[in-house]
Each structure stands twice: as C-alpha cells, then as structure tokens.
Amino acid sequence: MEYLYAGAAVLLSYLLGSLSFAVIVSRLLGLQDPRSYGSKNPGATNVLRSGSKVAAVATLLLDGLKGWLPVMLVKWFGKDYGLEDATIAAVAFAAFIGHLFPIFFKFKGGKGVATAAGALLGIDWLLGLATLATWLIVAFFTRYSSLASMASAAFAPLFYLMGDRGPWYVERSILLAIFMISVLLVVRHRENIVKLMNGTESKLGAGKKELKKEVKKR
C-alpha cells in the first residue's frame, strides 16, 4: 500500500505542477497570452513584460505554491501512510516536471524557477531562503533574471550539502532531486546562455519597453 500512496502523491504533484498559472492568471485578468510575446515563456518574469505587476506577482506566488504544497503535505501527513524522504524528493521533482511539461498545456511549460524555489522552501525553509537570497543578490548586481536563476540552481545542491548535520541531515534521494532540478533549470535556460554570451539578453525592467516595440511592429 505504501507504494500505492507514494505513486498517488507523485501523480497528484505532477498534475498540480501542470497548472500553468502564467497562462491561467493572464486569461483571468484579460491579458495577452504570455506564450505569444517576449520570451514566450509562461513564467512570472515574462508576465511582468505585459506591464501588469499584479499578474506577475500572482503567477510567481502560485507557481511557487505548487512546488511547496506537495512537499509540505507529504511532510505533514505522509508518515501515517509510510511516506518518507524518498517520497518528498519524488513529489518535489514531479511538481517541477509538471511545470516544465504540463499535460494540460500540450507539454509546453516554463523554466520552473518559482516552482523549484517553492519545492526547496518545502524541503527546508533555510535551504529555500539561501537559494532565494542568491537569486536576489545576483539579480540586484547584474539585472539579469536568467543569470540569477542559473546561479541559484548551481548553488542549491551545494547549500543542501553544506547544511548536513546542521539544520538537516543530507538524504541521498533529496540531494538527487535537487541536483536533477538544478541541471534541468540550467538546460531550460540554454537560449538565455547564448543571449548572455552575445550581449542580447534582456535586463529586468526592460521588458515592458520591448513589448511596446513588439506591438508597434505588428
């Protein structure tokens, strides 16, 4: 029965992760589909290019929530059903994969930064805060969201290892999940890497101007 419960938890986490809140929030607020402008990425950063901070913040929080909630539900109630650290790792990864390849949106999803951050906060709030602090520091000094996201992805497994026998004890299954999430995050930013190397990557705050130029061209 434990395997059945674990399988159900993973499936539900994937389905929750498959809710593309960038698209859902934009539709509810009568905004343009984020997959049709800017980077065409259904994520909070691209939604911000619409000029609606409310939509961007709502997308960010909801995308983070769908990574955090499955992890916390297993931590809160999982022991009664024999669910341990391996299931925590699996649901965190499943929610992230759901965002990247959402079944409700033809398997075309976002880059998963907010969902990954939510999952890390669920695994341990100190781990999540350390990773978020890395994003904020890099974003503040460079103004590149993509670079901040990749730096955070690179440091997340290191932060987890550094906390061993301190705030937590390192579990192999969770470390593997964090590592796989980090690798996929970097892979999803491969186009941004090229733009950064070519000096054509958009900086934070420049998206609205770019969208206006794009609309005028049409």
Tab-separated table of all heavy atoms in Angstrom, residues 93-139:
chain	number	residue	atom	x	y	z
A	93	PHE	N	10.201	16.770	-7.288
A	93	PHE	CA	10.633	16.649	-8.683
A	93	PHE	C	9.441	16.553	-9.621
A	93	PHE	O	9.455	17.127	-10.719
A	93	PHE	CB	11.539	15.422	-8.834
A	93	PHE	CG	12.171	15.308	-10.187
A	93	PHE	CD1	13.115	16.232	-10.598
A	93	PHE	CD2	11.835	14.281	-11.049
A	93	PHE	CE1	13.714	16.143	-11.843
A	93	PHE	CE2	12.419	14.174	-12.298
A	93	PHE	CZ	13.368	15.109	-12.699
A	94	ALA	N	8.396	15.854	-9.201
A	94	ALA	CA	7.199	15.696	-10.042
A	94	ALA	C	6.507	17.032	-10.285
A	94	ALA	O	6.073	17.322	-11.403
A	94	ALA	CB	6.228	14.711	-9.391
A	95	ALA	N	6.397	17.860	-9.255
A	95	ALA	CA	5.773	19.175	-9.418
A	95	ALA	C	6.588	20.030	-10.379
A	95	ALA	O	6.037	20.744	-11.219
A	95	ALA	CB	5.654	19.868	-8.060
A	96	PHE	N	7.906	19.940	-10.261
A	96	PHE	CA	8.804	20.696	-11.143
A	96	PHE	C	8.658	20.226	-12.590
A	96	PHE	O	8.551	21.039	-13.513
A	96	PHE	CB	10.238	20.525	-10.658
A	96	PHE	CG	11.266	21.185	-11.527
A	96	PHE	CD1	11.436	22.565	-11.498
A	96	PHE	CD2	12.077	20.430	-12.363
A	96	PHE	CE1	12.385	23.179	-12.295
A	96	PHE	CE2	13.025	21.037	-13.163
A	96	PHE	CZ	13.177	22.415	-13.129
A	97	ILE	N	8.640	18.910	-12.787
A	97	ILE	CA	8.481	18.344	-14.128
A	97	ILE	C	7.120	18.722	-14.708
A	97	ILE	O	6.992	18.985	-15.916
A	97	ILE	CB	8.641	16.809	-14.090
A	97	ILE	CG1	10.106	16.444	-13.868
A	97	ILE	CG2	8.148	16.171	-15.394
A	97	ILE	CD1	11.045	16.858	-14.985
A	98	GLY	N	6.110	18.777	-13.848
A	98	GLY	CA	4.788	19.190	-14.311
A	98	GLY	C	4.808	20.600	-14.872
A	98	GLY	O	4.146	20.879	-15.876
A	99	HIS	N	5.568	21.490	-14.238
A	99	HIS	CA	5.670	22.856	-14.748
A	99	HIS	C	6.392	22.888	-16.093
A	99	HIS	O	6.002	23.637	-16.988
A	99	HIS	CB	6.420	23.738	-13.748
A	99	HIS	CG	6.499	25.170	-14.171
A	99	HIS	ND1	5.499	26.075	-13.906
A	99	HIS	CD2	7.444	25.852	-14.865
A	99	HIS	CE1	5.826	27.255	-14.424
A	99	HIS	NE2	7.001	27.142	-15.003
A	100	LEU	N	7.437	22.088	-16.223
A	100	LEU	CA	8.204	22.061	-17.465
A	100	LEU	C	7.420	21.413	-18.603
A	100	LEU	O	7.469	21.897	-19.744
A	100	LEU	CB	9.518	21.291	-17.256
A	100	LEU	CG	10.762	22.094	-16.878
A	100	LEU	CD1	10.531	22.897	-15.608
A	100	LEU	CD2	11.958	21.169	-16.708
A	101	PHE	N	6.706	20.344	-18.285
A	101	PHE	CA	5.977	19.578	-19.305
A	101	PHE	C	4.539	19.344	-18.850
A	101	PHE	O	4.150	18.227	-18.509
A	101	PHE	CB	6.673	18.240	-19.565
A	101	PHE	CG	8.136	18.366	-19.885
A	101	PHE	CD1	9.094	18.036	-18.926
A	101	PHE	CD2	8.566	18.837	-21.121
A	101	PHE	CE1	10.447	18.158	-19.213
A	101	PHE	CE2	9.918	18.969	-21.404
A	101	PHE	CZ	10.858	18.630	-20.450
A	102	PRO	N	3.723	20.416	-18.857
A	102	PRO	CA	2.349	20.319	-18.337
A	102	PRO	C	1.407	19.558	-19.263
A	102	PRO	O	1.268	19.897	-20.438
A	102	PRO	CB	1.926	21.788	-18.213
A	102	PRO	CG	2.739	22.498	-19.261
A	102	PRO	CD	4.047	21.776	-19.314
A	103	ILE	N	0.754	18.565	-18.721
A	103	ILE	CA	-0.157	17.752	-19.521
A	103	ILE	C	-1.359	18.564	-19.988
A	103	ILE	O	-1.958	18.266	-21.035
A	103	ILE	CB	-0.620	16.515	-18.709
A	103	ILE	CG1	-1.350	15.522	-19.621
A	103	ILE	CG2	-1.489	16.929	-17.533
A	103	ILE	CD1	-1.656	14.195	-18.962
A	104	PHE	N	-1.724	19.616	-19.239
A	104	PHE	CA	-2.884	20.432	-19.594
A	104	PHE	C	-2.572	21.471	-20.669
A	104	PHE	O	-3.494	22.113	-21.186
A	104	PHE	CB	-3.424	21.148	-18.351
A	104	PHE	CG	-3.755	20.224	-17.212
A	104	PHE	CD1	-3.203	20.425	-15.957
A	104	PHE	CD2	-4.611	19.148	-17.393
A	104	PHE	CE1	-3.503	19.576	-14.904
A	104	PHE	CE2	-4.914	18.289	-16.345
A	104	PHE	CZ	-4.353	18.499	-15.101
A	105	PHE	N	-1.298	21.656	-20.985
A	105	PHE	CA	-0.894	22.684	-21.945
A	105	PHE	C	0.048	22.110	-23.007
A	105	PHE	O	1.061	22.720	-23.348
A	105	PHE	CB	-0.250	23.866	-21.221
A	105	PHE	CG	-1.197	24.610	-20.325
A	105	PHE	CD1	-1.387	24.208	-19.014
A	105	PHE	CD2	-1.931	25.685	-20.805
A	105	PHE	CE1	-2.283	24.869	-18.179
A	105	PHE	CE2	-2.828	26.362	-19.979
A	105	PHE	CZ	-2.998	25.948	-18.669
A	106	LYS	N	-0.300	20.916	-23.485
A	106	LYS	CA	0.423	20.254	-24.577
A	106	LYS	C	1.909	20.058	-24.271
A	106	LYS	O	2.757	20.087	-25.154
A	106	LYS	CB	0.260	21.043	-25.880
A	106	LYS	CG	-1.192	21.165	-26.331
A	106	LYS	CD	-1.322	21.956	-27.622
A	106	LYS	CE	-2.770	22.063	-28.041
A	106	LYS	NZ	-2.917	22.851	-29.308
A	107	PHE	N	2.221	19.872	-22.994
A	107	PHE	CA	3.578	19.580	-22.515
A	107	PHE	C	4.574	20.707	-22.818
A	107	PHE	O	5.776	20.487	-22.862
A	107	PHE	CB	4.090	18.254	-23.103
A	107	PHE	CG	3.218	17.088	-22.736
A	107	PHE	CD1	2.284	16.584	-23.637
A	107	PHE	CD2	3.295	16.507	-21.473
A	107	PHE	CE1	1.458	15.519	-23.291
A	107	PHE	CE2	2.478	15.436	-21.116
A	107	PHE	CZ	1.557	14.943	-22.028
A	108	LYS	N	4.053	21.924	-23.023
A	108	LYS	CA	4.914	23.076	-23.287
A	108	LYS	C	4.812	24.048	-22.113
A	108	LYS	O	3.866	24.827	-22.010
A	108	LYS	CB	4.506	23.764	-24.591
A	108	LYS	CG	4.698	22.881	-25.821
A	108	LYS	CD	4.254	23.595	-27.087
A	108	LYS	CE	4.445	22.697	-28.307
A	108	LYS	NZ	3.994	23.364	-29.563
A	109	GLY	N	5.787	23.951	-21.210
A	109	GLY	CA	5.733	24.745	-19.995
A	109	GLY	C	6.858	25.742	-19.870
A	109	GLY	O	7.550	26.065	-20.840
A	110	GLY	N	7.034	26.246	-18.657
A	110	GLY	CA	8.034	27.267	-18.387
A	110	GLY	C	9.364	26.683	-17.957
A	110	GLY	O	9.643	25.504	-18.177
A	111	LYS	N	10.159	27.524	-17.319
A	111	LYS	CA	11.508	27.122	-16.924
A	111	LYS	C	11.564	26.580	-15.502
A	111	LYS	O	12.537	25.954	-15.119
A	111	LYS	CB	12.459	28.301	-17.099
A	111	LYS	CG	12.601	28.681	-18.571
A	111	LYS	CD	13.387	29.955	-18.764
A	111	LYS	CE	13.427	30.328	-20.252
A	111	LYS	NZ	14.095	31.626	-20.482
A	112	GLY	N	10.536	26.856	-14.711
A	112	GLY	CA	10.403	26.203	-13.414
A	112	GLY	C	11.118	26.852	-12.249
A	112	GLY	O	11.275	26.225	-11.199
A	113	VAL	N	11.544	28.089	-12.390
A	113	VAL	CA	12.320	28.735	-11.327
A	113	VAL	C	11.498	28.885	-10.052
A	113	VAL	O	11.940	28.491	-8.962
A	113	VAL	CB	12.845	30.112	-11.787
A	113	VAL	CG1	13.580	30.808	-10.647
A	113	VAL	CG2	13.760	29.957	-12.989
A	114	ALA	N	10.296	29.452	-10.158
A	114	ALA	CA	9.459	29.667	-8.974
A	114	ALA	C	9.015	28.343	-8.353
A	114	ALA	O	8.983	28.200	-7.127
A	114	ALA	CB	8.237	30.506	-9.346
A	115	THR	N	8.685	27.372	-9.186
A	115	THR	CA	8.260	26.065	-8.678
A	115	THR	C	9.399	25.367	-7.955
A	115	THR	O	9.200	24.756	-6.900
A	115	THR	CB	7.744	25.188	-9.832
A	115	THR	OG1	6.677	25.864	-10.505
A	115	THR	CG2	7.226	23.850	-9.308
A	116	ALA	N	10.604	25.476	-8.501
A	116	ALA	CA	11.776	24.906	-7.838
A	116	ALA	C	12.022	25.589	-6.497
A	116	ALA	O	12.319	24.927	-5.490
A	116	ALA	CB	13.006	25.052	-8.734
A	117	ALA	N	11.882	26.921	-6.468
A	117	ALA	CA	12.075	27.664	-5.218
A	117	ALA	C	11.055	27.227	-4.172
A	117	ALA	O	11.393	27.061	-2.990
A	117	ALA	CB	11.951	29.159	-5.483
A	118	GLY	N	9.815	27.028	-4.598
A	118	GLY	CA	8.779	26.563	-3.683
A	118	GLY	C	9.101	25.192	-3.119
A	118	GLY	O	8.919	24.936	-1.923
A	119	ALA	N	9.579	24.301	-3.967
A	119	ALA	CA	9.938	22.958	-3.527
A	119	ALA	C	11.084	23.001	-2.516
A	119	ALA	O	11.069	22.282	-1.509
A	119	ALA	CB	10.328	22.103	-4.733
A	120	LEU	N	12.082	23.851	-2.764
A	120	LEU	CA	13.213	23.980	-1.839
A	120	LEU	C	12.770	24.539	-0.494
A	120	LEU	O	13.242	24.108	0.558
A	120	LEU	CB	14.291	24.873	-2.451
A	120	LEU	CG	15.016	24.309	-3.672
A	120	LEU	CD1	15.990	25.342	-4.235
A	120	LEU	CD2	15.766	23.028	-3.319
A	121	LEU	N	11.849	25.515	-0.525
A	121	LEU	CA	11.300	26.053	0.727
A	121	LEU	C	10.548	24.971	1.491
A	121	LEU	O	10.558	24.958	2.730
A	121	LEU	CB	10.365	27.226	0.428
A	121	LEU	CG	11.040	28.559	0.106
A	121	LEU	CD1	10.016	29.540	-0.474
A	121	LEU	CD2	11.685	29.159	1.347
A	122	GLY	N	9.905	24.071	0.767
A	122	GLY	CA	9.204	22.972	1.412
A	122	GLY	C	10.162	21.973	2.037
A	122	GLY	O	9.930	21.487	3.146
A	123	ILE	N	11.235	21.672	1.335
A	123	ILE	CA	12.232	20.734	1.859
A	123	ILE	C	12.830	21.273	3.147
A	123	ILE	O	12.945	20.571	4.139
A	123	ILE	CB	13.324	20.478	0.800
A	123	ILE	CG1	12.720	19.669	-0.373
A	123	ILE	CG2	14.504	19.728	1.402
A	123	ILE	CD1	13.630	19.562	-1.574
A	124	ASP	N	13.233	22.522	3.144
A	124	ASP	CA	13.651	23.211	4.369
A	124	ASP	C	13.648	24.710	4.105
A	124	ASP	O	14.200	25.162	3.104
A	124	ASP	CB	15.048	22.770	4.816
A	124	ASP	CG	15.358	23.251	6.227
A	124	ASP	OD1	15.733	24.438	6.372
A	124	ASP	OD2	15.214	22.466	7.177
A	125	TRP	N	13.046	25.465	4.990
A	125	TRP	CA	12.890	26.895	4.743
A	125	TRP	C	14.239	27.609	4.674
A	125	TRP	O	14.395	28.571	3.927
A	125	TRP	CB	11.998	27.529	5.799
A	125	TRP	CG	12.567	27.547	7.193
A	125	TRP	CD1	12.479	26.556	8.130
A	125	TRP	CD2	13.304	28.620	7.797
A	125	TRP	NE1	13.117	26.931	9.283
A	125	TRP	CE2	13.639	28.200	9.114
A	125	TRP	CE3	13.721	29.874	7.368
A	125	TRP	CZ2	14.359	28.991	9.995
A	125	TRP	CZ3	14.445	30.681	8.241
A	125	TRP	CH2	14.758	30.240	9.542
A	126	LEU	N	15.240	27.123	5.415
A	126	LEU	CA	16.563	27.739	5.355
A	126	LEU	C	17.209	27.506	3.993
A	126	LEU	O	17.865	28.397	3.442
A	126	LEU	CB	17.463	27.181	6.459
A	126	LEU	CG	17.265	27.766	7.862
A	126	LEU	CD1	18.122	27.018	8.862
A	126	LEU	CD2	17.604	29.251	7.863
A	127	LEU	N	17.028	26.308	3.450
A	127	LEU	CA	17.545	25.994	2.123
A	127	LEU	C	16.883	26.887	1.083
A	127	LEU	O	17.558	27.439	0.200
A	127	LEU	CB	17.280	24.522	1.796
A	127	LEU	CG	17.627	24.060	0.376
A	127	LEU	CD1	19.122	24.183	0.129
A	127	LEU	CD2	17.172	22.620	0.166
A	128	GLY	N	15.573	27.037	1.187
A	128	GLY	CA	14.855	27.895	0.255
A	128	GLY	C	15.282	29.344	0.355
A	128	GLY	O	15.496	30.005	-0.670
A	129	LEU	N	15.448	29.843	1.576
A	129	LEU	CA	15.854	31.240	1.766
A	129	LEU	C	17.266	31.491	1.244
A	129	LEU	O	17.539	32.538	0.645
A	129	LEU	CB	15.779	31.609	3.248
A	129	LEU	CG	14.388	31.868	3.823
A	129	LEU	CD1	14.495	32.291	5.280
A	129	LEU	CD2	13.659	32.949	3.030
A	130	ALA	N	18.168	30.552	1.472
A	130	ALA	CA	19.533	30.704	0.978
A	130	ALA	C	19.562	30.771	-0.546
A	130	ALA	O	20.283	31.585	-1.141
A	130	ALA	CB	20.403	29.537	1.462
A	131	THR	N	18.743	29.934	-1.172
A	131	THR	CA	18.674	29.924	-2.634
A	131	THR	C	18.032	31.204	-3.167
A	131	THR	O	18.502	31.788	-4.150
A	131	THR	CB	17.884	28.699	-3.123
A	131	THR	OG1	18.428	27.515	-2.532
A	131	THR	CG2	17.968	28.564	-4.638
A	132	LEU	N	16.961	31.653	-2.506
A	132	LEU	CA	16.309	32.901	-2.913
A	132	LEU	C	17.236	34.099	-2.714
A	132	LEU	O	17.247	35.024	-3.532
A	132	LEU	CB	15.017	33.100	-2.112
A	132	LEU	CG	13.839	32.195	-2.484
A	132	LEU	CD1	12.712	32.350	-1.471
A	132	LEU	CD2	13.333	32.514	-3.884
A	133	ALA	N	18.017	34.085	-1.629
A	133	ALA	CA	18.968	35.171	-1.380
A	133	ALA	C	20.013	35.231	-2.485
A	133	ALA	O	20.411	36.326	-2.920
A	133	ALA	CB	19.647	34.975	-0.028
A	134	THR	N	20.430	34.068	-2.967
A	134	THR	CA	21.380	34.021	-4.076
A	134	THR	C	20.787	34.668	-5.315
A	134	THR	O	21.448	35.457	-6.003
A	134	THR	CB	21.764	32.557	-4.389
A	134	THR	OG1	22.320	31.959	-3.217
A	134	THR	CG2	22.779	32.485	-5.528
A	135	TRP	N	19.528	34.346	-5.593
A	135	TRP	CA	18.850	34.944	-6.756
A	135	TRP	C	18.793	36.470	-6.623
A	135	TRP	O	19.107	37.197	-7.569
A	135	TRP	CB	17.427	34.390	-6.888
A	135	TRP	CG	16.756	34.756	-8.171
A	135	TRP	CD1	16.689	34.020	-9.313
A	135	TRP	CD2	16.067	36.004	-8.460
A	135	TRP	NE1	16.008	34.706	-10.289
A	135	TRP	CE2	15.619	35.918	-9.811
A	135	TRP	CE3	15.798	37.146	-7.734
A	135	TRP	CZ2	14.912	36.951	-10.420
A	135	TRP	CZ3	15.096	38.188	-8.334
A	135	TRP	CH2	14.662	38.078	-9.665
A	136	LEU	N	18.400	36.945	-5.456
A	136	LEU	CA	18.256	38.381	-5.236
A	136	LEU	C	19.589	39.117	-5.379
A	136	LEU	O	19.651	40.194	-5.983
A	136	LEU	CB	17.671	38.642	-3.845
A	136	LEU	CG	16.191	38.283	-3.666
A	136	LEU	CD1	15.790	38.378	-2.202
A	136	LEU	CD2	15.302	39.182	-4.517
A	137	ILE	N	20.647	38.544	-4.842
A	137	ILE	CA	21.966	39.185	-4.906
A	137	ILE	C	22.451	39.291	-6.346
A	137	ILE	O	22.885	40.352	-6.801
A	137	ILE	CB	22.981	38.418	-4.039
A	137	ILE	CG1	22.629	38.573	-2.554
A	137	ILE	CG2	24.406	38.916	-4.303
A	137	ILE	CD1	23.410	37.655	-1.644
A	138	VAL	N	22.363	38.165	-7.072
A	138	VAL	CA	22.827	38.151	-8.464
A	138	VAL	C	21.954	39.055	-9.325
A	138	VAL	O	22.459	39.818	-10.167
A	138	VAL	CB	22.851	36.713	-9.031
A	138	VAL	CG1	23.252	36.720	-10.502
A	138	VAL	CG2	23.804	35.840	-8.242
A	139	ALA	N	20.641	39.008	-9.114
A	139	ALA	CA	19.720	39.849	-9.896
A	139	ALA	C	19.956	41.327	-9.602
A	139	ALA	O	19.896	42.164	-10.517
A	139	ALA	CB	18.279	39.477	-9.581
